[in-house]
Amino acid sequence: ELMGSSVGIIRTEEGLADGLAGLDALEEEVAVVKAHGSSQYNAGWHEALDLPSLMITSRAVATAAKLRQESRGAHTRDDFEGEREEWGQVNIVIRKGAGGMEVEKVTRGEDPPELAKIARATIEDLEEGRV
């Protein structure tokens, strides 16, 4: 629910900050979640095991979305409309570090020629199989 309302399809700085704060608040609850019974036919048991991974994924998505101040592809920022050339040159890389999640903007290298050709093709080129 938190990710849908704060880090959904249309994103804003305020919503992303609220989402990250909400994830902070959920950390303590997730740490003590338990499911009773055995693992057989117990969706709650599996969900309890998945929660820590879902929290990491949610935090990575919200953090990267907050850092990327543009709209590109499926990432839409209501407060940053359109693509920006400088953001097309970087990837946001998230790693597990000694102190937790590390976030870094990494400059992209040259695209492999075949991928560059596809990326710059027109719809007509793709539909007619020229690329």
Side-chain angles (χ1 to χ4, degrees):
E1 185 178 312
L2 173 67
M3 291 299 286
S5 63
S6 299
V7 192
I9 295 171
I10 307 295
R11 301 165 175 171
T12 63
E13 183 81 19
E14 182 181 358
L16 293 166
D18 289 348
L20 287 165
L23 290 170
D24 289 341
L26 285 173
E27 284 288 342
E28 287 181 29
E29 290 181 51
V30 168
V32 295
V33 167
K34 292 187 178 17
H36 300 286
S38 70
S39 63
Q40 293 177 323
Y41 309 109
N42 188 344
W45 189 83
H46 294 285
E47 198 168 313
L49 289 176
D50 290 342
L51 278 175
S53 295
L54 289 170
M55 291 293 289
I56 291 167
T57 302
S58 296
R59 186 171 302 283
V61 168
T63 301
K66 191 169 185 264
L67 182 61
R68 186 171 283 279
Q69 297 181 334
E70 69 160 354
S71 293
R72 180 179 297 269
H75 169 70
T76 302
R77 289 282 302 259
D78 201 30
D79 47 355
F80 292 97
E81 294 181 16
E83 294 180 358
R84 301 199 173 166
E85 189 174 330
E86 65 271 17
W87 281 103
Q89 306 305 315
V90 296
N91 289 328
I92 297 172
V93 175
I94 299 179
R95 293 184 182 89
K96 180 179 180 181
M101 190 176 289
E102 295 177 353
V103 182
E104 179 184 11
K105 284 180 6 183
V106 177
T107 302
R108 295 176 50 210
E110 283 293 316
D111 294 330
E114 189 63 25
L115 290 179
K117 197 163 80 173
I118 294 168
R120 291 171 184 80
T122 65
I123 294 294
E124 293 78 22
D125 288 338
L126 295 169
E127 287 175 342
E128 294 176 19
R130 293 191 292 256
V131 175

